[in-house]
Amino acid sequence: MADKLALPLLLPSTPSSKPLFHDHHQLSRTPFLTSQLTSQPPPSPVEPLLHDVFLHQNPNSRRPIAPQTPKSRNRTRIGKSRDPNLGKPWSYHGLSPHGQQILRSLIEPTFDSGQLDHLLSQLSEASSSELLALLKGLGFHKRFDLALSVFDWFMKQKDYQLDNSVVAVVISMLGKEGRVSSAANLFNGLIENGFSLDVYSYTSLISAFANSGRYRDAVMVFKKMEEEGCKPTLITYNVVLNVFGKMGTPWSKIMSLVEKMKSDGIAPDAYTYNTLITCCKRGSLHEEAARVFEEMKMAGFSHDKVTYNALLDVYGKSHRPKEAMKVLNEMELSGFTPSIVTYNSLISAYARDGMLDEAMELKNQMVGKGMKPDVFTYTTLLSGFERAGKVESAMGVFEEMRNAGCKPNICTFNAFIKMYGNRGKFAEMMKIFDEINVCGLSPDIVTWNTLLAVFGQNGMDSEVSGECLKLGSLLTSPLITLCWQPWHVEECGNNLRKFSQRWRMVGANRMS
């Protein structure tokens, strides 16, 4: 079964191998869930947990167990309205009286993890229902590392039978902890040992990859899930649609997935429609977004604040401020109070279209309604004035931002660097650059590209080009593109600082 489920590594000139996932994240074959998150020395090695759980099924054989037949059951969607614990204190649902005592001991701040084996051995039986309830309880109290240690302990018990509900919760927990590779290792190990994973386990891993930005891996798991005949749920489709939007997937492909969902007998819900509208932002697909907006209404779903803000954002990125304002009016008539997100989308729409007076008026309206502009508000306005060549107005926005106690982010600094660099005010530009570190920020790829462009446009193009080639980067004209390799960043920054020091001495006259 492992050979059937395995996917090859999709790398050039690389032979096939068994892990389901690939990419630059190298995944180990042996899951080890309780490895420490800190830089402290790891504990003494323990026997791999997956080896234990499968070997204990038949101590006289090293063959993997037979696949389990997926069971049909009603399942509470964690975090949804059907979860009895949502917004309430933990109810110990599913825990035996003894299990409740154990959970209370585990969540004590003074609990010593060295006593875990002694505490859990007091359980009358190592059942999946008990483990699932313990995991949820520890997750509710944010004791994730301890929850994974409990999972390890159960996996080593001879009489324990692993359940898909537990797998889904553990994978989800690992994803929330940022330990996606460990989640994938567990998933791979289960497949290779013949365990039949259900739709909830697949969906948990897809979500973990999606939330960590590993979109290709998320899509790969979804495709393999379908190949194995595991039917996606509405939640699965919604997660994958969101991934498609983040990846900038063509609209035709997104709609193909929606049609497949409908053909499988799964009707879109409000979350699906909101996700589809959000997907339209990447390509400025305002007409498509408007159609989805209307279809949502015809399907009987009420538009909420998320819907209106998503549509506003689409119109903003599509340079259609008038349509965005109509959405705002409809939003208010529907009883929804615009938020700072709403106003930021509108301000962005007007600023992108060069309608800066209207953008400033919206900012004033926002303040009049008791909302405090944030760094996005100010940086959007500043960038708009920069593009329009209105340096004094841009500086006025910055002064207001500073007086309001709003700290700039790297985008704010990048706007200033571009503004001064494009106008030949090199000394001011480098002062802004030096302020980045003073504010505890780090230059990003936009910062470096902007600086390289300024140097290249002012007589140092050959020297900059030579240095960039040494760093494995590429300089082209009229656009300068820096090949972003993490190990080049510090060296590139040091070289640019050298250029800036030289320009302070010999280049000022040329730029004045």
Side-chain angles (χ1 to χ4, degrees):
M1 185 174 181
D3 292 336
K4 180 181 178 183
L5 286 168
L7 284 177
L9 284 166
L10 302 180
L11 296 173
S13 305
T14 303
S16 298
S17 59
K18 289 186 178 181
L20 184 61
F21 314 105
H22 66 288
D23 212 351
H24 56 281
H25 302 272
Q26 186 79 19
L27 299 184
S28 166
R29 288 287 188 142
T30 304
F32 184 64
L33 300 184
T34 53
S35 58
Q36 295 187 2
L37 291 174
T38 65
S39 58
Q40 297 175 356
S44 56
V46 298
E47 192 168 4
L49 59 92
L50 287 178
H51 174 76
D52 277 348
V53 69
F54 290 117
L55 189 58
H56 288 322
Q57 303 290 334
N58 184 355
N60 299 320
S61 173
R62 287 187 172 272
R63 291 180 297 174
I65 61 171
Q68 295 182 356
T69 302
K71 298 177 181 179
S72 176
R73 64 185 186 279
N74 293 327
R75 180 185 179 90
T76 299
R77 299 191 296 174
I78 299 174
K80 301 298 180 182
S81 58
R82 287 165 26 203
D83 186 347
N85 288 308
L86 185 63
K88 304 176 183 178
W90 181 250
S91 67
Y92 297 103
H93 178 73
L95 274 175
S96 65
H98 202 177
Q100 294 179 27
Q101 293 178 6
I102 289 175
L103 178 59
R104 282 194 287 266
S105 298
L106 289 171
I107 62 178
E108 282 291 327
T110 57
F111 177 74
D112 181 5
S113 58
Q115 300 298 315
L116 186 64
D117 183 76
H118 172 73
L119 184 65
L120 293 178
S121 62
Q122 299 174 26
L123 285 168
S124 57
E125 61 173 335
S127 67
S128 278
S129 61
E130 198 83 73
L131 172 57
L132 186 63
L134 279 174
L135 291 176
K136 289 183 177 181
L138 289 167
F140 181 84
H141 290 283
K142 310 296 182 185
R143 303 297 297 274
F144 298 115
D145 266 357
L146 194 53
L148 298 175
S149 297
V150 170
F151 176 68
D152 275 1
W153 185 89
F154 270 78
M155 293 286 271
K156 294 173 186 175
Q157 307 311 302
K158 292 183 179 181
D159 57 344
Y160 175 67
Q161 296 288 332
L162 185 62
D163 180 80
N164 261 299
S165 297
V166 173
V167 176
V169 169
V170 172
I171 289 176
S172 177
M173 195 173 290
L174 286 165
K176 291 175 182 177
E177 277 287 274
R179 299 167 64 178
V180 187
S181 291
S182 295
N185 288 340
L186 173 62
F187 190 92
N188 275 332
L190 291 168
I191 287 178
E192 291 174 0
N193 284 279
F195 187 82
S196 181
L197 294 163
D198 68 4
V199 62
Y200 303 105
S201 298
Y202 274 103
T203 303
S204 293
L205 187 59
I206 293 170
S207 298
F209 277 134
N211 292 334
S212 66
R214 293 173 61 174
Y215 303 130
R216 286 188 176 184
D217 283 331
V219 173
M220 182 180 291
V221 177
F222 177 68
K223 289 181 178 178
K224 200 61 190 175
M225 172 184 175
E226 291 189 307
E227 289 172 9
E228 293 303 318
C230 188
K231 295 293 184 181
T233 65
L234 175 61
I235 298 174
T236 316
Y237 278 116
N238 284 343
V239 172
V240 175
L241 285 170
N242 185 49
V243 168
F244 277 1
K246 296 287 180 61
M247 294 176 69
T249 304
W251 182 250
S252 59
K253 188 172 180 179
I254 292 174
M255 291 311 298
S256 293
L257 183 62
V258 174
E259 292 305 317
K260 184 181 184 307
M261 179 178 73
K262 292 178 179 178
S263 67
D264 287 343
I266 299 175
D269 64 359
Y271 185 91
T272 313
Y273 287 113
N274 287 341
T275 301
L276 288 172
I277 293 172
T278 303
C279 288
C280 295
K281 289 193 298 185
R282 289 289 294 267
S284 300
L285 306 174
H286 61 92
E287 293 179 353
E288 290 81 353
R291 282 198 292 269
V292 174
F293 186 81
E294 289 302 318
E295 182 183 331
M296 181 179 183
K297 188 186 298 183
M298 293 174 61
F301 293 101
S302 300
H303 300 139
D304 57 17
K305 186 176 288 189
V306 175
T307 315
Y308 286 115
N309 283 336
L311 188 58
L312 273 167
D313 210 9
V314 173
Y315 280 130
K317 288 179 169 56
S318 303
H319 298 270
R320 304 188 78 86
K322 292 182 179 180
E323 287 87 341
M325 189 58 78
K326 289 180 181 178
V327 174
L328 175 65
N329 293 333
E330 182 179 337
M331 179 180 183
E332 291 182 312
L333 288 173
S334 299
F336 295 104
T337 303
S339 65
I340 188 169
V341 174
T342 313
Y343 275 103
N344 281 343
S345 295
L346 280 168
I347 290 169
S348 178
Y350 279 104
R352 285 170 182 267
D353 221 35
M355 302 171 71
L356 297 170
D357 290 339
E358 291 83 350
M360 286 295 291
E361 177 59 29
L362 283 167
K363 189 265 296 179
N364 294 333
Q365 285 182 26
M366 182 171 64
V367 173
K369 292 184 178 181
M371 281 177 273
K372 189 176 181 180
D374 61 9
V375 64
F376 183 87
T377 317
Y378 288 119
T379 302
T380 300
L381 290 168
L382 196 154
S383 298
F385 283 120
E386 181 276 319
R387 285 192 298 271
K390 298 181 178 180
V391 178
E392 289 185 4
S393 297
M395 290 305 300
V397 170
F398 181 70
E399 284 299 320
E400 180 182 334
M401 177 182 179
R402 188 167 59 179
N403 293 335
C406 181
K407 294 183 179 180
N409 61 16
I410 190 61
C411 296
T412 316
F413 284 107
N414 288 341
F416 270 114
I417 288 172
K418 182 180 178 184
M419 181 175 72
Y420 285 127
N422 287 347
R423 285 155 184 80
K425 296 186 177 182
F426 180 75
E428 290 88 344
M429 181 187 80
M430 292 315 302
K431 285 179 182 178
I432 294 294
F433 178 72
D434 291 338
E435 281 292 316
I436 292 176
N437 290 329
V438 174
C439 291
L441 300 172
S442 298
D444 64 4
I445 187 171
V446 177
T447 317
W448 299 129
N449 278 345
T450 304
L451 287 171
L452 285 170
V454 172
F455 286 128
Q457 291 165 8
N458 288 277
M460 288 188 71
D461 49 300
S462 60
E463 294 175 68
V464 172
S465 179
E467 286 298 326
C468 288
L469 289 173
K470 289 178 185 177
L471 294 173
S473 304
L474 178 65
L475 181 68
T476 59
S477 182
L479 296 177
I480 298 174
T481 303
L482 180 64
C483 182
W484 194 245
Q485 299 291 345
W487 53 87
H488 290 158
V489 175
E490 185 175 355
E491 189 176 356
C492 183
N494 290 335
N495 277 276
L496 286 174
R497 288 186 179 91
K498 291 177 183 177
F499 291 144
S500 70
Q501 290 168 4
R502 178 176 175 185
W503 268 101
R504 278 192 174 96
M505 294 184 292
V506 302
N509 291 333
R510 190 184 312 181
M511 303 183 71
S512 59

